[in-house]
Amino acid sequence: MIADVDQFSEGLLMGFTQLFTGIMTIGGTLLFMASINPLITVVVVLLTPISLFVASFIAKKTFTMFRHQSETRGELTALTDEMLGNMKILQAFGYQKEAQARFEEINGRLEGYSLRATFFSSITNPATRFVNSVVYAAVGITGAYGVIRGFMTVGQLTSFLSYANQYTKPFNEISGVVTELQNALASAARVFELIDEEVILQDKTDAVELKDVKGKVELQNVSFSYAPDQRLIENFNLAVEPGQRVAIVGPTGCGKTTIINLLMRFYDVKSGAVKVEDRDIRDVTRKSLRTNYGMVLQETWLKSGTIRENIAYGRPEASEEAIIQAAKEAHAHGFIMRMPQGYDTPIGEDGGNLSQGQKQLLCIARVMLCLPPMLILDEATSSIDTRTELRVQKAFARMMEGRTSFIVAHRLSTIKEADVILVMKDGKILEKGRHEELLAGNGFYAELYNSQFAKA
Ligand SMILES: Nc1ncnc2c1ncn2[C@@H]1O[C@H](COP(=O)(O)OP(=O)(O)OP(=O)(O)O)[C@@H](O)[C@H]1O
Ligand SMILES: [Mg+2]
């Protein structure tokens, strides 16, 4: 993308400056030639555009080659980026040879396209120069004829020829620019393809702000799947009162995170509706919906910046005390103070210099600082050691008071206190109820629970 945009702007810049000086020269020389001899001027004017025809004919051929070239260049950059980004995996699985082979294959194709593109584009100039020389000869012959017949003097012919020469030069340059522009256009076509890509989930034009959220959430007959021919969630119904704690449990891949994605409207439901405060979430702005949720997820999202900036991400105006308080609640304060610059320690993109658990604690502190009316904790403590987890759980429990929360957890001991436990399997709710009820029911939940505590 960057290479394409560069190519495009370079082509345009070169194209337009040359085009501008070219047009000025053509206009000026035309004026002088006409003042010397209008008849021969007409000959010149009629013959010169032939060079442009020749140029555009070749340019059409070069366009396809430039197009292939920029596509292959993109492919090569993508491969390099992926391989460098996943260097560790690459080395761990000994994939170097294959990666090298893939690189060389694409590089070979790129070489072929570039060679042809350069070849075609560089024959343009000689071809147009040839045409111009023919024009020059034609002017010489008609001019000589005119001198013999006494229409003009030798001096006039000499200066006319010199002007004709000046006049055809810009055509050469412009034809050179045409190939440059072809390259720019080939790149531009790829850029426009991306720009024209439809935005799938746009806010409705009459979308309203979601205000005064108490935390009433409803899923009505929701069906959803990522791929059309794959079934995942079907006729899912759930009503959550403000302040309720909903726990979602179930085997890996059963659709827990998918439900969260639907609540946050990262995806739209296929049928049915998700409602917050009795309002279909498709009728409210995405921004107002999401600011009402606080999320801590399996995977952590950190940006490059200091630890302080990362904690205050959702509330940049927060005071120092509030930030430290939130970090303490999340039990992150201790490790932050052990970092070389404390809260000012810079962390790399995606928290490069932190452990997985530390990253998660930072994400927890971030939510503790914002305190939105609704919470989503999807395996929020999956990377934290059990002792710290217990403490963080307590902080969560305090935070969840009076807030609607959705908790996804594999360790069932962490969700015993929930108001509703949804036991999911293959996208459906299998059981629903409080911990004790579900245990007494002796169903799938009891089985899951007992399997975790069999040894104890
Ligand atoms: N972006 C996606 N595109 C296509 N299919 C997906 C996508 N994300 C998840 N799936 C599929 O949807 C199903 C449910 O995935 P989901 O992430 O909801 O599982 P989960 O219950 O959160 O599992 P886990 O406990 O491992 O986090 C899985 O079978 C998965 O393959
Ligand atoms: Mg998940």
Side-chain angles (χ1 to χ4, degrees):
M1 195 57 200
I2 292 171
D4 280 338
V5 172
D6 262 354
Q7 196 80 51
F8 180 53
S9 66
E10 214 169 273
L12 279 193
L13 210 63
M14 245 183 80
F16 277 118
T17 41
Q18 295 219 359
L19 210 64
F20 188 67
T21 45
I23 287 169
M24 294 292 280
T25 319
I26 290 172
T29 48
L30 212 57
L31 218 68
F32 281 109
M33 283 196 291
S35 72
I36 297 172
N37 190 320
L39 199 70
I40 309 181
T41 311
V42 172
V43 175
V44 175
V45 171
L46 286 183
L47 287 180
T48 332
I50 297 176
S51 68
L52 283 188
F53 279 122
V54 174
S56 75
F57 179 74
I58 303 173
K60 277 203 194 93
K61 292 248 176 291
T62 50
F63 178 78
T64 343
M65 285 302 137
F66 276 127
R67 173 86 203 210
H68 287 315
Q69 186 193 9
S70 80
E71 269 166 12
T72 322
R73 200 194 298 121
E75 224 178 298
L76 194 70
T77 321
L79 180 83
T80 319
D81 189 52
E82 190 190 338
M83 292 305 147
L84 288 180
N86 295 316
M87 186 66 93
K88 274 192 196 146
I89 306 174
L90 201 83
Q91 288 169 341
F93 287 92
Y95 193 74
Q96 288 99 325
K97 276 226 174 66
E98 283 89 340
Q100 181 80 24
R102 275 177 70 189
F103 180 87
E104 268 156 22
E105 188 269 322
I106 300 175
N107 201 26
R109 267 189 290 139
L110 179 61
E111 186 190 335
Y113 290 135
S114 308
L115 199 71
R116 266 169 282 172
T118 318
F119 175 74
F120 281 120
S121 64
S122 52
I123 59 172
T124 326
N125 197 276
T128 52
R129 287 243 289 253
F130 174 74
V131 175
N132 287 340
S133 302
V134 173
V135 174
Y136 192 74
V139 170
I141 291 167
T142 33
Y145 183 72
V147 172
I148 292 168
R149 297 295 301 266
F151 291 131
M152 63 200 291
T153 66
V154 175
Q156 276 176 328
L157 176 61
T158 317
S159 57
F160 195 95
L161 278 175
S162 149
Y163 279 125
N165 205 12
Q166 288 288 329
Y167 172 79
T168 49
K169 245 189 218 149
F171 283 91
N172 284 334
E173 275 157 19
I174 291 173
S175 72
V177 169
V178 169
T179 58
E180 195 61 41
L181 280 180
Q182 288 302 319
N183 196 355
L185 281 181
S187 301
R190 276 164 53 84
V191 176
F192 282 126
E193 254 168 44
L194 186 80
I195 293 175
D196 288 344
E197 201 58 39
E198 210 175 316
V199 181
I200 357 173
L201 296 167
Q202 213 138 33
D203 276 340
K204 276 190 187 166
T205 40
D206 55 347
V208 292
E209 296 271 308
L210 190 63
K211 279 196 212 109
D212 301 324
V213 176
K214 306 270 181 320
K216 186 174 179 208
V217 181
E218 251 183 308
L219 286 99
Q220 292 174 338
N221 259 323
V222 167
S223 297
F224 173 80
S225 68
Y226 291 100
D229 52 345
Q230 177 200 41
R231 296 165 136 212
L232 188 56
I233 287 168
E234 279 169 20
N235 296 325
F236 194 97
N237 282 293
L238 178 71
V240 186
E241 293 303 318
Q244 267 195 329
R245 271 177 284 174
V246 183
I248 310 174
V249 301
T252 287
C254 70
K256 303 181 294 289
T257 303
T258 307
I259 296 286
I260 306 293
N261 285 340
L262 294 178
L263 288 174
M264 292 292 277
R265 210 180 157 207
F266 287 130
Y267 294 89
D268 265 342
V269 294
K270 291 268 145 40
S271 67
V274 181
K275 292 184 173 176
V276 174
E277 305 300 323
D278 297 318
R279 227 179 230 293
D280 195 317
I281 58 169
R282 280 168 293 190
D283 297 333
V284 302
T285 60
R286 225 173 247 104
K287 184 164 190 279
S288 68
L289 173 72
R290 289 178 187 164
T291 47
N292 278 298
Y293 278 112
M295 276 224 297
V296 185
L297 296 186
Q298 263 171 323
E299 70 261 44
T300 47
W301 294 338
L302 293 173
K303 60 166 195 149
S304 52
T306 63
I307 288 187
R308 178 182 292 105
E309 282 167 1
N310 267 288
I311 295 180
Y313 196 64
R315 228 182 90 192
E317 78 289 350
S319 70
E320 184 72 20
E321 292 80 54
I323 291 175
I324 293 179
Q325 183 57 34
K328 278 186 177 156
E329 299 240 338
H331 295 272
H333 184 71
F335 91 80
I336 295 173
M337 291 317 281
R338 282 195 299 277
M339 309 275 301
Q341 289 151 276
Y343 282 84
D344 292 314
T345 312
I347 54 176
E349 195 177 331
D350 226 18
N353 43 353
L354 296 175
S355 81
Q356 200 63 37
Q358 289 170 337
K359 286 190 227 174
Q360 218 162 27
L361 288 179
L362 282 190
C363 290
I364 293 169
R366 181 188 284 170
V367 174
M368 298 252 177
L369 186 67
C370 284
L371 291 180
M374 297 185 288
L375 291 173
I376 290 176
L377 309 174
D378 187 351
E379 287 288 316
T381 51
S382 55
S383 308
I384 304 171
D385 72 272
T386 17
R387 212 167 55 109
T388 316
E389 183 182 23
L390 272 179
R391 295 201 206 126
V392 174
Q393 288 293 346
K394 276 194 198 126
F396 272 150
R398 270 205 304 282
M399 185 164 75
M400 280 186 268
E401 257 161 50
R403 295 198 163 78
T404 305
S405 21
F406 297 87
I407 312 145
V408 175
H410 281 300
R411 268 181 283 205
L412 300 185
S413 58
T414 57
I415 49 137
K416 271 194 224 165
E417 315 292 316
D419 297 309
V420 194
I421 298 174
L422 301 179
V423 186
M424 285 185 64
K425 202 176 174 209
D426 303 329
K428 288 180 198 66
I429 301 179
L430 218 59
E431 294 164 24
K432 190 168 160 181
R434 293 186 66 91
H435 175 72
E436 296 78 20
E437 295 166 16
L438 290 173
L439 270 193
N442 224 355
F444 190 57
Y445 180 80
E447 199 183 305
L448 276 180
Y449 188 80
N450 289 330
S451 70
Q452 288 188 5
F453 291 93
K455 285 200 190 83

